[in-house]
Amino acid sequence: MFDTLILILDSTVRLSTPLLLAALAGLYSERSGVFDIGLEGKMLGAAFAAGAAAAVTGSAWIGLGAGILVSIALALVHGFACITHRGNQIVSGVAINFLAIGLTALLGQDWFRQGGRTPPVTGDARFETLVLPFADALREVPVIGGIYSELLSGHNVLVYIAFLAVPFTWWVLFRTRFGLRLRAVGENPAAVDTAGISVTWLRYRAVICTGILCGIAGAYLSVAQSAGFIKDMTAGKGFIALAALIFAKWKPVPVMFACLLFGFLDAVAIRLQGQQVPGIGEVPVQAIQALPYILTVVLLAGFIGRAVPPKAGGTAYVKERS
């Protein structure tokens, strides 16, 4: 029973990693007042770029860099539409999602002729798991050995980066001048502008941060969790990350726990496939696959109370003329 629990928690960590990175990405953007439902599109674009670059060059790090660059480019498109030209932020995010879905499938088929896939990545083209010191020696120790060797050790470097990004994001938002200004511009951009700080430049830096984290999330999917890009491989993870962000009320540490919860639900759903449930029998695969999404809606509908977004979120800032 304990071994099964450790395996489920191990899967939880792996499955929650892209959600955590994407949710933290959305946190930067939305705290600055720029709503971003294009997390899914940026993740998908980054996953394709990372998978393609890693397959061609044989380097996972080059793949990661390519994924981050593509994600930042898409983030800047969103910023150009919403910050510079004060366009509708929801429409821009939806457009990015559709753009990524179409371009990744089209370019994948045109470049590699494998039905939208990239060639499989192996060896140095994929992030391998890291074994922490003494993990093998402690493996047989009851309780502690399983937790250390299976749950804490044996993940790739992007998993550790994702969880280290949580305290780093908290520090940036609540202990730095940039974070103070970022939160202020999401609440009252006019006051920030009056203080002589550029609202536009602050928001652009926020969406660049969003692009970096979405790029890492997408690269994780194609060159760490999987061995290459497949069509539509994000499978709604960007929207679940957005739900986790709302569920956590735009705070970094609660975001981590929300993503772990959704990752746990996904891990349990995978574990239940093909299993006999007492009183029900074998649950259909489709029902199991839908479980995380159903519970996402239920949790958002009834368990978080009132989630109040940044006051200036979703609206473009228009500088008053004197």
Side-chain angles (χ1 to χ4, degrees), residues 130-195:
L130 302 177
V131 179
L132 297 182
F134 310 112
D136 293 331
L138 294 173
R139 190 177 300 275
E140 302 303 324
V141 177
V143 183
I144 297 176
I147 293 174
Y148 183 75
S149 63
E150 294 292 340
L151 187 57
L152 299 180
S153 179
H155 301 288
N156 62 72
V157 65
L158 298 186
V159 174
Y160 298 108
I161 288 174
F163 284 91
L164 288 174
V166 176
F168 177 75
T169 297
W170 178 87
W171 177 76
V172 168
L173 288 179
F174 298 102
R175 290 294 184 271
T176 67
R177 181 181 297 178
F178 169 70
L180 174 63
R181 291 175 174 177
L182 188 72
R183 289 183 288 122
V185 81
E187 297 291 338
N188 192 342
V192 174
D193 190 38
T194 302

Side-chain angles (χ1 to χ4, degrees), residues 247 258 261-262 265 292-305:
F247 182 51
L261 173 61
F262 292 132
L265 296 174
Y293 303 96
I294 295 171
L295 291 179
T296 298
V297 174
V298 172
L299 288 171
L300 287 176
F303 292 95
I304 65 171

Side-chain angles (χ1 to χ4, degrees), residues 250-263:
W250 295 272
K251 297 177 182 178
V253 176
V255 160
M256 180 184 70
F257 288 115
C259 291
L260 284 170
L261 173 61
F262 292 132

